[in-house]
Amino acid sequence: MGSENRQYLERFFPIASFIAAIIGPKCEVVVHDISDPEHSIVFIENGYISGREVGDASTDLVLKILKSEAYHEEQYIANYKASGKFGQSFRSSTYYIKNDQNKLVGLLCLNIDVTHMEVAAEWVQHILQGGPNPYVMPAAAEKSKEEKQTTEYLQGNADDLLQHMITSVIGKLKIPPERLSSQEKIEVVRELNELGVFLLKGGVSQVADSLSISEPTVYRYLQKLK
């Protein structure tokens, strides 16, 4: 990262600490430097919540943001669901940090651990409704089906993050990778490319291993998709 961008991101470090101090110990606040996806975390408060620290990697959502370039049209995304490697549930939000030229240089992310809140909410619903299955309003149920929720997996290790993303995509096919056709493998590569997997240095290698193909074959598939 250039010194100018570093100085720009450092302006957000006190803001991150300020937010964490207000919301409390169940709120993790992270500043990402997008120029180095394998080691994007440059500042973190309450990192014990997700088990991450400075120098750890981006998340699957960060990679997707960088690949889709949705930040051109938006300033932030708020109140989406995230999960942690320890099984926690989070309510998360991401603010796009742009420099004076309106170029994206980093991300300010809030992850509030709501695991215990969800358990408490389920218990309250059980008491209010008088049964094990809380009643869901039909309109709310329909809305939840229609909305495509933004989600995120909070994992600090780049290799583990890659494997999580690859397994998530391949797992949807319910077919062992070695039995996939060439066209199915191309579709897997296409989806992984859209998710930003190949922004990480080890992306091609891990995808090749997971699909039982060579690295040159992955590059050939990527060329076909252009």
Side-chain angles (χ1 to χ4, degrees):
M1 174 174 58
S3 58
E4 184 178 341
N5 283 350
R6 173 73 188 197
Q7 291 175 357
Y8 199 88
L9 289 178
E10 285 178 351
R11 300 180 194 175
F12 288 83
F13 293 0
I15 297 174
S17 296
F18 175 63
I19 293 170
I22 292 173
I23 300 179
K26 288 293 185 181
C27 176
E28 176 187 76
V29 189
V30 187
V31 178
H32 286 279
D33 165 24
I34 66 163
S35 71
D36 186 7
E38 287 84 8
H39 309 283
S40 69
I41 296 180
V42 291
F43 185 86
I44 188 167
E45 286 281 5
N46 298 332
Y48 60 83
I49 297 176
S50 69
R52 296 181 298 166
E53 59 187 19
V54 170
D56 275 345
S58 303
T59 67
D60 51 350
L61 179 61
V62 171
L63 295 176
K64 188 175 181 180
I65 288 170
L66 298 181
K67 188 66 182 178
S68 67
E69 298 187 349
Y71 52 83
H72 289 308
E73 306 297 328
E74 304 170 341
Q75 297 300 317
Y76 61 85
I77 47 176
N79 298 317
Y80 55 86
K81 293 182 179 180
S83 59
K85 61 182 179 181
F86 304 128
Q88 316 99 307
S89 296
F90 294 91
R91 179 66 63 179
S92 301
S93 299
T94 293
Y95 176 79
Y96 303 138
I97 301 175
K98 301 176 184 179
N99 62 17
D100 296 335
Q101 289 74 47
N102 205 36
K103 179 182 178 183
L104 186 72
V105 296
L107 303 167
L108 174 66
C109 303
L110 280 70
N111 304 301
I112 302 173
D113 187 346
V114 297
T115 309
H116 297 297
M117 296 181 192
E118 289 183 341
V119 173
E122 184 177 349
W123 180 79
V124 170
Q125 285 288 349
H126 176 83
I127 296 298
L128 291 175
Q129 303 300 334
N133 299 314
Y135 176 71
V136 178
M137 293 292 288
E142 282 301 312
K143 186 177 180 182
S144 66
K145 289 179 183 177
E146 293 173 3
E147 289 180 350
K148 188 175 182 182
Q149 293 289 337
T150 299
T151 59
E152 184 174 25
Y153 180 59
L154 306 181
Q155 168 59 259
N157 181 280
D159 288 337
D160 289 345
L161 172 61
L162 276 171
Q163 197 56 55
H164 168 79
M165 297 174 73
I166 294 168
T167 301
S168 296
V169 171
I170 294 177
K172 291 187 295 186
L173 298 175
K174 304 186 185 306
I175 302 174
E178 61 273 11
R179 290 176 53 193
L180 295 175
S181 67
S182 295
Q183 186 57 44
E184 286 171 329
K185 290 179 180 180
I186 290 174
E187 285 303 306
V188 169
V189 170
R190 178 193 60 75
E191 186 170 351
L192 291 172
N193 184 44
E194 290 175 355
L195 292 174
V197 161
F198 301 109
L199 295 176
L200 296 176
K201 292 175 183 176
V204 170
S205 176
Q206 281 199 231
V207 169
D209 288 344
S210 298
L211 291 177
S212 300
I213 56 179
S214 67
E215 291 185 26
T217 299
V218 175
Y219 283 116
R220 189 168 69 251
Y221 288 170
L222 288 170
Q223 280 297 117
K224 285 185 178 181
L225 294 169
K226 286 185 176 179

